[in-house]
mmCIF file of all heavy atoms in Angstrom:
data_model
loop_
_atom_site.group_PDB
_atom_site.id
_atom_site.type_symbol
_atom_site.label_atom_id
_atom_site.label_comp_id
_atom_site.label_asym_id
_atom_site.label_seq_id
_atom_site.Cartn_x
_atom_site.Cartn_y
_atom_site.Cartn_z
ATOM 1 N N GLN E 256 137.913 119.132 -94.692
ATOM 2 C CA GLN E 256 136.749 119.972 -94.757
ATOM 3 C C GLN E 256 135.970 120.104 -93.530
ATOM 4 O O GLN E 256 135.413 119.013 -92.930
ATOM 5 C CB GLN E 256 135.728 119.399 -95.852
ATOM 6 C CG GLN E 256 134.513 120.182 -96.110
ATOM 7 C CD GLN E 256 134.887 121.433 -97.133
ATOM 8 O OE1 GLN E 256 136.016 121.456 -97.600
ATOM 9 N NE2 GLN E 256 133.905 122.258 -97.205
ATOM 10 N N VAL E 257 135.921 121.234 -92.948
ATOM 11 C CA VAL E 257 135.180 121.428 -91.677
ATOM 12 C C VAL E 257 133.676 121.534 -91.905
ATOM 13 O O VAL E 257 133.285 122.190 -92.860
ATOM 14 C CB VAL E 257 135.702 122.717 -91.004
ATOM 15 C CG1 VAL E 257 134.891 122.953 -89.662
ATOM 16 C CG2 VAL E 257 137.118 122.609 -90.768
ATOM 17 N N GLN E 258 132.930 120.740 -91.077
ATOM 18 C CA GLN E 258 131.545 120.880 -91.233
ATOM 19 C C GLN E 258 130.910 121.304 -89.817
ATOM 20 O O GLN E 258 131.356 120.736 -88.826
ATOM 21 C CB GLN E 258 130.878 119.554 -91.584
ATOM 22 C CG GLN E 258 130.835 119.272 -93.136
ATOM 23 C CD GLN E 258 129.882 118.166 -93.626
ATOM 24 O OE1 GLN E 258 129.950 117.083 -92.867
ATOM 25 N NE2 GLN E 258 129.165 118.368 -94.496
ATOM 26 N N LEU E 259 129.994 122.222 -89.883
ATOM 27 C CA LEU E 259 129.308 122.692 -88.647
ATOM 28 C C LEU E 259 127.914 122.561 -88.783
ATOM 29 O O LEU E 259 127.323 123.090 -89.836
ATOM 30 C CB LEU E 259 129.736 124.191 -88.426
ATOM 31 C CG LEU E 259 131.242 124.472 -88.173
ATOM 32 C CD1 LEU E 259 131.490 125.957 -88.329
ATOM 33 C CD2 LEU E 259 131.688 123.936 -86.939
ATOM 34 N N VAL E 260 127.281 121.860 -87.879
ATOM 35 C CA VAL E 260 125.820 121.613 -87.954
ATOM 36 C C VAL E 260 125.129 122.144 -86.684
ATOM 37 O O VAL E 260 125.327 121.505 -85.628
ATOM 38 C CB VAL E 260 125.516 120.176 -88.170
ATOM 39 C CG1 VAL E 260 124.043 119.930 -88.292
ATOM 40 C CG2 VAL E 260 126.189 119.603 -89.476
ATOM 41 N N GLU E 261 124.343 123.186 -86.884
ATOM 42 C CA GLU E 261 123.627 123.747 -85.741
ATOM 43 C C GLU E 261 122.211 123.118 -85.579
ATOM 44 O O GLU E 261 121.636 122.704 -86.552
ATOM 45 C CB GLU E 261 123.518 125.253 -85.867
ATOM 46 C CG GLU E 261 124.861 125.983 -86.010
ATOM 47 C CD GLU E 261 125.202 126.216 -87.531
ATOM 48 O OE1 GLU E 261 124.691 125.536 -88.368
ATOM 49 O OE2 GLU E 261 126.141 127.016 -87.731
ATOM 50 N N SER E 262 121.756 123.090 -84.307
ATOM 51 C CA SER E 262 120.411 122.491 -84.029
ATOM 52 C C SER E 262 119.935 123.045 -82.753
ATOM 53 O O SER E 262 120.609 123.733 -81.956
ATOM 54 C CB SER E 262 120.428 121.043 -83.983
ATOM 55 O OG SER E 262 121.334 120.563 -83.005
ATOM 56 N N GLY E 263 118.617 122.912 -82.463
ATOM 57 C CA GLY E 263 118.124 123.253 -81.197
ATOM 58 C C GLY E 263 117.214 124.525 -81.197
ATOM 59 O O GLY E 263 116.670 124.909 -80.200
ATOM 60 N N GLY E 264 117.177 125.150 -82.330
ATOM 61 C CA GLY E 264 116.346 126.389 -82.453
ATOM 62 C C GLY E 264 114.860 126.068 -82.391
ATOM 63 O O GLY E 264 114.428 124.886 -82.388
ATOM 64 N N GLY E 265 113.993 127.057 -82.419
ATOM 65 C CA GLY E 265 112.624 126.881 -82.291
ATOM 66 C C GLY E 265 111.901 128.196 -81.925
ATOM 67 O O GLY E 265 112.486 129.258 -81.930
ATOM 68 N N SER E 266 110.607 128.095 -81.655
ATOM 69 C CA SER E 266 109.806 129.275 -81.362
ATOM 70 C C SER E 266 109.454 129.224 -79.910
ATOM 71 O O SER E 266 108.865 128.214 -79.458
ATOM 72 C CB SER E 266 108.509 129.194 -82.199
ATOM 73 O OG SER E 266 108.811 129.447 -83.647
ATOM 74 N N VAL E 267 109.748 130.308 -79.176
ATOM 75 C CA VAL E 267 109.385 130.462 -77.821
ATOM 76 C C VAL E 267 108.778 131.704 -77.543
ATOM 77 O O VAL E 267 108.939 132.649 -78.255
ATOM 78 C CB VAL E 267 110.620 130.171 -76.917
ATOM 79 C CG1 VAL E 267 111.146 128.754 -77.090
ATOM 80 C CG2 VAL E 267 111.647 131.192 -77.180
ATOM 81 N N GLN E 268 108.087 131.799 -76.279
ATOM 82 C CA GLN E 268 107.598 133.086 -75.850
ATOM 83 C C GLN E 268 108.628 133.820 -75.065
ATOM 84 O O GLN E 268 109.606 133.242 -74.645
ATOM 85 C CB GLN E 268 106.409 132.846 -74.948
ATOM 86 C CG GLN E 268 105.214 132.155 -75.645
ATOM 87 C CD GLN E 268 103.997 132.092 -74.706
ATOM 88 O OE1 GLN E 268 104.014 132.128 -73.448
ATOM 89 N NE2 GLN E 268 102.836 132.068 -75.283
ATOM 90 N N PRO E 269 108.502 135.116 -74.982
ATOM 91 C CA PRO E 269 109.416 135.937 -74.199
ATOM 92 C C PRO E 269 109.546 135.341 -72.856
ATOM 93 O O PRO E 269 108.613 134.943 -72.193
ATOM 94 C CB PRO E 269 108.802 137.312 -74.187
ATOM 95 C CG PRO E 269 107.981 137.421 -75.457
ATOM 96 C CD PRO E 269 107.435 135.974 -75.589
ATOM 97 N N GLY E 270 110.846 135.299 -72.330
ATOM 98 C CA GLY E 270 111.090 134.694 -71.069
ATOM 99 C C GLY E 270 111.374 133.229 -71.097
ATOM 100 O O GLY E 270 111.864 132.596 -70.139
ATOM 101 N N GLY E 271 111.200 132.643 -72.282
ATOM 102 C CA GLY E 271 111.479 131.219 -72.413
ATOM 103 C C GLY E 271 112.963 130.822 -72.639
ATOM 104 O O GLY E 271 113.854 131.755 -72.613
ATOM 105 N N SER E 272 113.322 129.554 -72.742
ATOM 106 C CA SER E 272 114.628 129.152 -72.895
ATOM 107 C C SER E 272 114.916 128.176 -74.025
ATOM 108 O O SER E 272 113.776 127.453 -74.407
ATOM 109 C CB SER E 272 115.137 128.423 -71.552
ATOM 110 O OG SER E 272 115.076 129.266 -70.475
ATOM 111 N N LEU E 273 116.021 128.131 -74.604
ATOM 112 C CA LEU E 273 116.417 127.253 -75.591
ATOM 113 C C LEU E 273 117.828 126.824 -75.399
ATOM 114 O O LEU E 273 118.633 127.620 -74.872
ATOM 115 C CB LEU E 273 116.234 127.738 -77.026
ATOM 116 C CG LEU E 273 114.752 127.884 -77.591
ATOM 117 C CD1 LEU E 273 114.835 128.727 -78.869
ATOM 118 C CD2 LEU E 273 114.116 126.550 -77.824
ATOM 119 N N ARG E 274 118.222 125.629 -75.869
ATOM 120 C CA ARG E 274 119.640 125.228 -75.780
ATOM 121 C C ARG E 274 120.027 124.892 -77.286
ATOM 122 O O ARG E 274 119.482 123.880 -77.827
ATOM 123 C CB ARG E 274 119.858 124.104 -74.885
ATOM 124 C CG ARG E 274 121.307 123.723 -74.641
ATOM 125 C CD ARG E 274 121.530 122.438 -73.982
ATOM 126 N NE ARG E 274 122.788 122.185 -73.487
ATOM 127 C CZ ARG E 274 123.389 121.016 -73.306
ATOM 128 N NH1 ARG E 274 122.764 119.876 -73.570
ATOM 129 N NH2 ARG E 274 124.679 120.958 -72.817
ATOM 130 N N LEU E 275 120.945 125.649 -77.741
ATOM 131 C CA LEU E 275 121.449 125.250 -79.128
ATOM 132 C C LEU E 275 122.691 124.420 -79.005
ATOM 133 O O LEU E 275 123.465 124.452 -78.093
ATOM 134 C CB LEU E 275 121.818 126.565 -79.853
ATOM 135 C CG LEU E 275 120.802 127.741 -79.888
ATOM 136 C CD1 LEU E 275 121.285 128.932 -80.780
ATOM 137 C CD2 LEU E 275 119.447 127.138 -80.414
ATOM 138 N N SER E 276 122.886 123.595 -79.995
ATOM 139 C CA SER E 276 123.973 122.710 -80.160
ATOM 140 C C SER E 276 124.669 122.934 -81.503
ATOM 141 O O SER E 276 123.987 123.232 -82.489
ATOM 142 C CB SER E 276 123.636 121.271 -79.936
ATOM 143 O OG SER E 276 123.072 120.997 -78.750
ATOM 144 N N CYS E 277 126.017 122.697 -81.555
ATOM 145 C CA CYS E 277 126.742 122.777 -82.795
ATOM 146 C C CYS E 277 127.694 121.644 -82.873
ATOM 147 O O CYS E 277 128.640 121.561 -82.038
ATOM 148 C CB CYS E 277 127.486 124.064 -82.910
ATOM 149 S SG CYS E 277 128.709 124.192 -84.211
ATOM 150 N N ALA E 278 127.512 120.736 -83.771
ATOM 151 C CA ALA E 278 128.287 119.587 -83.879
ATOM 152 C C ALA E 278 129.391 119.880 -85.037
ATOM 153 O O ALA E 278 129.096 120.226 -86.155
ATOM 154 C CB ALA E 278 127.559 118.333 -84.273
ATOM 155 N N ALA E 279 130.680 119.659 -84.647
ATOM 156 C CA ALA E 279 131.696 119.952 -85.549
ATOM 157 C C ALA E 279 132.384 118.713 -86.021
ATOM 158 O O ALA E 279 132.585 117.727 -85.252
ATOM 159 C CB ALA E 279 132.760 120.876 -84.947
ATOM 160 N N SER E 280 132.813 118.622 -87.306
ATOM 161 C CA SER E 280 133.579 117.502 -87.873
ATOM 162 C C SER E 280 134.599 117.941 -88.790
ATOM 163 O O SER E 280 134.487 119.119 -89.240
ATOM 164 C CB SER E 280 132.635 116.546 -88.528
ATOM 165 O OG SER E 280 131.967 117.077 -89.615
ATOM 166 N N GLY E 281 135.575 117.159 -89.031
ATOM 167 C CA GLY E 281 136.650 117.579 -89.947
ATOM 168 C C GLY E 281 137.607 118.518 -89.372
ATOM 169 O O GLY E 281 138.342 119.172 -90.227
ATOM 170 N N THR E 282 137.596 118.757 -88.135
ATOM 171 C CA THR E 282 138.565 119.721 -87.564
ATOM 172 C C THR E 282 139.068 119.221 -86.211
ATOM 173 O O THR E 282 138.404 118.508 -85.556
ATOM 174 C CB THR E 282 137.906 121.114 -87.489
ATOM 175 O OG1 THR E 282 138.891 121.984 -86.967
ATOM 176 C CG2 THR E 282 136.765 121.027 -86.377
ATOM 177 N N ILE E 283 140.259 119.789 -85.827
ATOM 178 C CA ILE E 283 140.654 119.477 -84.437
ATOM 179 C C ILE E 283 140.034 120.548 -83.594
ATOM 180 O O ILE E 283 140.508 121.591 -83.338
ATOM 181 C CB ILE E 283 142.235 119.593 -84.407
ATOM 182 C CG1 ILE E 283 142.834 118.720 -85.469
ATOM 183 C CG2 ILE E 283 142.756 119.233 -82.984
ATOM 184 C CD1 ILE E 283 144.349 118.926 -85.639
ATOM 185 N N PHE E 284 138.866 120.115 -83.070
ATOM 186 C CA PHE E 284 137.906 121.071 -82.489
ATOM 187 C C PHE E 284 138.589 121.750 -81.251
ATOM 188 O O PHE E 284 138.432 122.908 -80.988
ATOM 189 C CB PHE E 284 136.683 120.298 -82.073
ATOM 190 C CG PHE E 284 135.645 121.080 -81.338
ATOM 191 C CD1 PHE E 284 134.761 121.854 -81.998
ATOM 192 C CD2 PHE E 284 135.513 121.014 -79.968
ATOM 193 C CE1 PHE E 284 133.784 122.601 -81.403
ATOM 194 C CE2 PHE E 284 134.505 121.771 -79.260
ATOM 195 C CZ PHE E 284 133.672 122.558 -80.018
ATOM 196 N N ASN E 285 139.279 120.911 -80.407
ATOM 197 C CA ASN E 285 139.680 121.450 -79.076
ATOM 198 C C ASN E 285 140.679 122.456 -79.063
ATOM 199 O O ASN E 285 140.960 123.165 -78.057
ATOM 200 C CB ASN E 285 140.123 120.274 -78.189
ATOM 201 C CG ASN E 285 141.268 119.525 -78.768
ATOM 202 O OD1 ASN E 285 141.242 119.148 -79.920
ATOM 203 N ND2 ASN E 285 142.273 119.316 -77.943
ATOM 204 N N ILE E 286 141.397 122.667 -80.208
ATOM 205 C CA ILE E 286 142.412 123.728 -80.203
ATOM 206 C C ILE E 286 141.936 125.051 -80.572
ATOM 207 O O ILE E 286 142.722 126.079 -80.485
ATOM 208 C CB ILE E 286 143.556 123.261 -81.199
ATOM 209 C CG1 ILE E 286 143.167 123.418 -82.717
ATOM 210 C CG2 ILE E 286 144.203 121.969 -80.841
ATOM 211 C CD1 ILE E 286 144.337 123.200 -83.633
ATOM 212 N N TYR E 287 140.654 125.191 -81.107
ATOM 213 C CA TYR E 287 140.192 126.467 -81.603
ATOM 214 C C TYR E 287 139.248 127.214 -80.549
ATOM 215 O O TYR E 287 138.383 126.478 -79.889
ATOM 216 C CB TYR E 287 139.374 126.253 -82.832
ATOM 217 C CG TYR E 287 140.257 125.914 -84.016
ATOM 218 C CD1 TYR E 287 140.254 124.624 -84.502
ATOM 219 C CD2 TYR E 287 141.002 126.917 -84.642
ATOM 220 C CE1 TYR E 287 141.170 124.309 -85.641
ATOM 221 C CE2 TYR E 287 141.777 126.594 -85.714
ATOM 222 C CZ TYR E 287 141.827 125.303 -86.199
ATOM 223 O OH TYR E 287 142.636 124.996 -87.244
ATOM 224 N N ALA E 288 139.325 128.426 -80.448
ATOM 225 C CA ALA E 288 138.282 129.194 -79.795
ATOM 226 C C ALA E 288 137.061 129.099 -80.754
ATOM 227 O O ALA E 288 137.160 129.222 -81.954
ATOM 228 C CB ALA E 288 138.704 130.620 -79.639
ATOM 229 N N MET E 289 135.874 128.940 -80.128
ATOM 230 C CA MET E 289 134.722 128.782 -80.902
ATOM 231 C C MET E 289 133.701 129.905 -80.407
ATOM 232 O O MET E 289 133.725 130.500 -79.410
ATOM 233 C CB MET E 289 134.062 127.443 -80.602
ATOM 234 C CG MET E 289 134.805 126.199 -81.065
ATOM 235 S SD MET E 289 135.109 126.215 -82.944
ATOM 236 C CE MET E 289 133.351 125.962 -83.404
ATOM 237 N N ALA E 290 132.695 130.164 -81.327
ATOM 238 C CA ALA E 290 131.778 131.265 -81.094
ATOM 239 C C ALA E 290 130.365 131.026 -81.609
ATOM 240 O O ALA E 290 130.222 130.106 -82.624
ATOM 241 C CB ALA E 290 132.353 132.548 -81.719
ATOM 242 N N TRP E 291 129.460 131.589 -81.110
ATOM 243 C CA TRP E 291 128.080 131.723 -81.599
ATOM 244 C C TRP E 291 127.924 133.118 -82.226
ATOM 245 O O TRP E 291 128.281 134.081 -81.626
ATOM 246 C CB TRP E 291 127.035 131.523 -80.513
ATOM 247 C CG TRP E 291 126.906 129.944 -80.258
ATOM 248 C CD1 TRP E 291 127.484 129.344 -79.123
ATOM 249 C CD2 TRP E 291 126.175 129.007 -80.876
ATOM 250 N NE1 TRP E 291 127.177 128.055 -79.083
ATOM 251 C CE2 TRP E 291 126.344 127.872 -80.188
ATOM 252 C CE3 TRP E 291 125.389 128.987 -82.066
ATOM 253 C CZ2 TRP E 291 125.756 126.548 -80.641
ATOM 254 C CZ3 TRP E 291 124.769 127.821 -82.476
ATOM 255 C CH2 TRP E 291 125.001 126.598 -81.757
ATOM 256 N N TYR E 292 127.287 133.126 -83.319
ATOM 257 C CA TYR E 292 126.900 134.363 -84.088
ATOM 258 C C TYR E 292 125.407 134.342 -84.373
ATOM 259 O O TYR E 292 124.779 133.208 -84.278
ATOM 260 C CB TYR E 292 127.680 134.493 -85.328
ATOM 261 C CG TYR E 292 129.188 134.398 -85.231
ATOM 262 C CD1 TYR E 292 129.853 133.232 -85.197
ATOM 263 C CD2 TYR E 292 129.943 135.639 -85.222
ATOM 264 C CE1 TYR E 292 131.267 133.157 -85.046
ATOM 265 C CE2 TYR E 292 131.346 135.512 -85.110
ATOM 266 C CZ TYR E 292 131.946 134.346 -85.038
ATOM 267 O OH TYR E 292 133.336 134.213 -84.893
ATOM 268 N N ARG E 293 124.852 135.519 -84.642
ATOM 269 C CA ARG E 293 123.448 135.474 -85.018
ATOM 270 C C ARG E 293 123.248 136.552 -86.105
ATOM 271 O O ARG E 293 123.972 137.564 -86.188
ATOM 272 C CB ARG E 293 122.549 135.741 -83.916
ATOM 273 C CG ARG E 293 122.602 137.043 -83.156
ATOM 274 C CD ARG E 293 121.744 137.056 -81.936
ATOM 275 N NE ARG E 293 121.786 138.381 -81.317
ATOM 276 C CZ ARG E 293 121.199 138.657 -80.086
ATOM 277 N NH1 ARG E 293 120.542 137.599 -79.470
ATOM 278 N NH2 ARG E 293 121.284 139.850 -79.595
ATOM 279 N N GLN E 294 122.205 136.322 -86.931
ATOM 280 C CA GLN E 294 121.880 137.363 -87.918
ATOM 281 C C GLN E 294 120.319 137.444 -87.917
ATOM 282 O O GLN E 294 119.635 136.588 -88.233
ATOM 283 C CB GLN E 294 122.393 136.921 -89.322
ATOM 284 C CG GLN E 294 122.240 137.929 -90.434
ATOM 285 C CD GLN E 294 122.995 137.660 -91.592
ATOM 286 O OE1 GLN E 294 123.382 136.472 -91.890
ATOM 287 N NE2 GLN E 294 123.247 138.689 -92.432
ATOM 288 N N ALA E 295 119.915 138.640 -87.714
ATOM 289 C CA ALA E 295 118.425 139.006 -87.763
ATOM 290 C C ALA E 295 118.145 139.461 -89.062
ATOM 291 O O ALA E 295 119.063 140.029 -89.912
ATOM 292 C CB ALA E 295 118.057 139.951 -86.720
ATOM 293 N N PRO E 296 116.909 139.377 -89.500
ATOM 294 C CA PRO E 296 116.473 139.891 -90.859
ATOM 295 C C PRO E 296 116.911 141.360 -91.009
ATOM 296 O O PRO E 296 116.619 142.243 -90.204
ATOM 297 C CB PRO E 296 114.912 139.770 -90.818
ATOM 298 C CG PRO E 296 114.696 138.712 -89.880
ATOM 299 C CD PRO E 296 115.681 138.807 -88.804
ATOM 300 N N GLY E 297 117.551 141.554 -92.203
ATOM 301 C CA GLY E 297 118.014 142.924 -92.532
ATOM 302 C C GLY E 297 119.178 143.489 -91.747
ATOM 303 O O GLY E 297 119.504 144.603 -91.918
ATOM 304 N N LYS E 298 119.750 142.626 -90.912
ATOM 305 C CA LYS E 298 120.919 143.117 -90.151
ATOM 306 C C LYS E 298 122.134 142.254 -90.423
ATOM 307 O O LYS E 298 122.112 141.176 -90.955
ATOM 308 C CB LYS E 298 120.587 143.094 -88.661
ATOM 309 C CG LYS E 298 119.424 143.944 -88.194
ATOM 310 C CD LYS E 298 119.336 143.952 -86.712
ATOM 311 C CE LYS E 298 118.357 144.964 -86.208
ATOM 312 N NZ LYS E 298 118.207 144.966 -84.732
#
């Protein structure tokens, strides 16, 4: 069973920075291409 746990989000002002992390377990992580996705409200 693959588990993906994202962290690092928050509230920032325009021009600011954030670093997101995603910890994976239950999978051979290094053999897969990985990606970040996003979903805005209503989209």
Side-chain angles (χ1 to χ4, degrees):
Q256 182 79 9
V257 178
Q258 277 196 315
L259 301 166
V260 180
E261 302 92 346
S262 62
S266 295
V267 297
Q268 293 186 338
S272 298
L273 285 172
R274 190 192 193 206
L275 306 184
S276 297
C277 168
S280 61
T282 183
I283 307 172
F284 178 82
N285 60 311
I286 69 172
Y287 289 104
M289 296 295 295
W291 285 98
Y292 303 82
R293 68 185 180 187
Q294 187 167 20
K298 295 188 177 181

